[in-house]
Amino acid sequence: MSQRSNPNSGGMIGVSQASTSAPSGMLREREVVRNTGRQAIAAFLESQTCYSVLRTSGKVVVFDTRIPIQLAFYALVEHDMQAAPLWDPNKCEFVGILTVTDFIDVLRYYRETGTDVATLATRSIADILADEGILSTVLKKVVPARHACTKGSGKMNYNADQHSYFLAVDADATLDRACHLLHDQGLDFLPVMLPSDMRVLATVNYTCVLEHLVGNFREQRRLFEDTIFDLGIGTYGDDVVVAHSQQTLHEVLRTLHVNGLSAVPVVDEQTKKIRGVYSRSDITFLTKASDAEDAVSNLNLTLDVLMAQQRTDVTTPDALHTCSTRHSLQSVFEYFAQWKFNRLIVVDEEERVVGVVSARDLVAYFL
């Protein structure tokens, strides 16, 4: 059952007393505490290496670029992985990353161009990544405007295309270095390498980093008493992109791509109340397909049909979790420790969407 903001259920984060407004005489003290919290985590990121976020046991899938892209996708699904590094045997080096969403976007390209999807069965990963028509459209990286570095900020956002080159970090590099690579280069996944033999140890993302931060700072309540809204963490108001349950999957996937988003809140078109969340990496429509042609046909399904087929296990990172603008950063930390979500949908008292707070937003606040 999705974690909904029902006043009679425990699905919404409990509001901290710290969310009440503070007297003017305490503003300076709260500013000092706020800065202390940010400095503490910044120092922690500098002191920790990438080894610290690697699991004690795990697996890494690496794809030879000569294998069929359909086979690569099925391997990702079978191993329950979102991304895998790509190895070019001719160059004897890693050349990029392939994700579950890449395959979904390729199917989108076939639908939009009217190309015979049956030909996809014979195309290798290398074939797809050499196709300029695909690279310049559905696989073209878009970074959300709120994450693009502003002019004069001192940080460059290169809008890195991990289909064209391989960007990784050494395992002994600091977590601060890894976080800045993720953020400044607009990455979703970052391979961690063993410098001595160029072996990929893992592929990390913002959720991995946030889990490490929460595990070390969730007890330091006083440092994070301000609300996520007051701290400017997340996206709010007119900048929030939503989808309606009667929209087709193809329409929603295109909206996600052009806005550089990984997921979108799904709302009722009449009441504007939250109904769920749809993730770009959701493969429900693929698992229900008998072949590639059927999968392309399923892009015409509406979200309400697909959401009825989704997993309802709340332990999945993309399950619906909600909060309000009054929740403190500490309460969000506590909630993340329990559910390991990829994002929180911020709702008002009527369960209408007013914002979105992602794992990326939470980590970026401390950079």
Side-chain angles (χ1 to χ4, degrees):
M1 173 176 170
S2 296
Q3 296 300 290
R4 287 178 170 270
S5 54
N6 188 322
N8 298 317
S9 73
M12 189 172 178
I13 307 176
V15 180
S16 162
Q17 289 185 351
S19 62
T20 57
S21 58
S24 57
M26 296 178 62
L27 292 181
R28 174 59 184 165
E29 179 186 352
R30 294 189 67 173
E31 182 180 350
V32 170
V33 173
R34 177 185 300 182
N35 289 335
T36 300
R38 294 188 75 170
Q39 291 166 6
I41 286 191
F44 179 76
L45 291 174
E46 282 281 6
S47 69
Q48 298 284 296
T49 68
C50 293
Y51 278 113
S52 61
V53 297
L54 303 186
R55 302 187 185 281
T56 53
S57 63
K59 56 188 174 184
V60 176
V61 173
V62 175
F63 292 138
D64 185 315
T65 55
R66 296 172 299 182
I67 70 172
I69 190 168
Q70 282 189 225
L71 181 61
F73 168 74
Y74 293 135
L76 285 175
V77 173
E78 180 181 352
H79 292 281
D80 193 24
M81 305 188 78
Q82 290 291 311
L86 301 176
W87 176 263
D88 187 327
N90 295 320
K91 297 180 179 179
C92 292
E93 64 183 17
F94 289 103
V95 293
I97 286 181
L98 184 75
T99 69
V100 168
T101 59
D102 289 336
F103 185 73
I104 295 173
D105 286 333
V106 169
L107 289 177
R108 217 164 39 86
Y109 175 83
Y110 272 72
R111 180 191 183 279
E112 291 175 0
T113 59
T115 307
D116 183 3
V117 72
T119 62
L120 188 58
T122 61
R123 301 194 72 181
S124 68
I125 297 173
D127 291 335
I128 295 296
L129 298 186
D131 190 324
E132 189 58 33
I134 294 177
L135 282 179
S136 63
T137 54
V138 294
L139 292 188
K140 184 177 181 180
K141 178 74 175 179
V142 178
V143 176
R146 71 180 186 275
H147 294 308
C149 299
T150 56
K151 185 176 181 180
S153 67
K155 295 181 180 180
M156 295 296 292
N157 191 312
Y158 296 101
N159 200 1
D161 179 8
Q162 287 182 293
H163 302 113
S164 301
Y165 68 96
F166 186 69
L167 186 61
V169 66
D170 289 344
D172 54 7
T174 67
L175 267 186
D176 180 72
R177 167 66 176 161
C179 289
H180 276 287
L181 277 174
L182 281 166
H183 184 262
D184 298 346
Q185 299 289 342
L187 306 178
D188 296 315
F189 302 97
L190 182 65
V192 178
M193 306 285 293
L194 191 63
S196 59
D197 62 3
M198 291 299 291
R199 179 160 31 109
V200 177
L201 298 178
T203 300
V204 300
N205 55 22
Y206 285 101
T207 306
C208 298
V209 176
L210 185 58
E211 184 174 357
H212 189 56
L213 290 179
V214 170
N216 285 272
F217 284 91
R218 63 181 297 192
E219 300 301 328
Q220 301 189 34
R221 300 176 182 278
R222 180 164 166 72
L223 295 180
F224 310 109
E225 290 182 334
D226 288 303
T227 68
I228 51 174
F229 184 77
D230 288 341
L231 294 174
I233 300 175
T235 302
Y236 299 91
D238 293 338
D239 291 330
V240 178
V241 178
V242 300
H244 300 129
S245 58
Q246 291 304 309
Q247 286 184 280
T248 67
L249 176 57
H250 180 261
E251 291 172 334
V252 174
L253 287 173
R254 176 170 171 74
T255 296
L256 288 168
H257 178 248
V258 298
N259 288 283
L261 302 174
S262 60
V264 63
V266 181
V267 302
D268 184 281
E269 195 166 6
Q270 302 300 321
T271 65
K272 308 303 180 185
K273 291 185 177 182
I274 185 71
R275 289 196 54 186
V277 60
Y278 192 84
S279 170
R280 195 172 171 187
S281 61
D282 191 311
I283 60 170
T284 302
F285 80 102
L286 289 172
T287 59
K288 302 296 181 180
S290 57
D291 53 30
E293 186 175 344
D294 196 24
V296 170
S297 177
N298 284 350
L299 290 172
N300 296 318
L301 295 175
T302 58
L303 285 191
D304 58 348
V305 172
L306 288 167
M307 289 170 59
Q309 301 172 349
Q310 283 179 330
R311 290 174 58 186
T312 56
D313 181 1
V314 296
T315 62
T316 58
D318 287 315
L320 173 63
H321 297 277
T322 63
C323 70
S324 80
T325 56
R326 296 175 292 125
H327 287 112
S328 69
L329 180 54
Q330 175 60 37
S331 66
V332 170
F333 275 5
E334 292 285 350
Y335 199 66
F336 179 87
Q338 180 181 6
W339 295 111
K340 306 294 189 298
F341 54 79
N342 283 337
R343 68 197 57 79
L344 286 171
I345 307 302
V346 187
V347 298
D348 62 15
E349 292 80 1
E350 302 298 323
E351 294 193 338
R352 294 171 300 197
V353 176
V354 296
V356 177
V357 177
S358 67
R360 176 176 186 158
D361 295 327
L362 290 164
V363 174
Y365 171 73
F366 297 103
L367 300 182

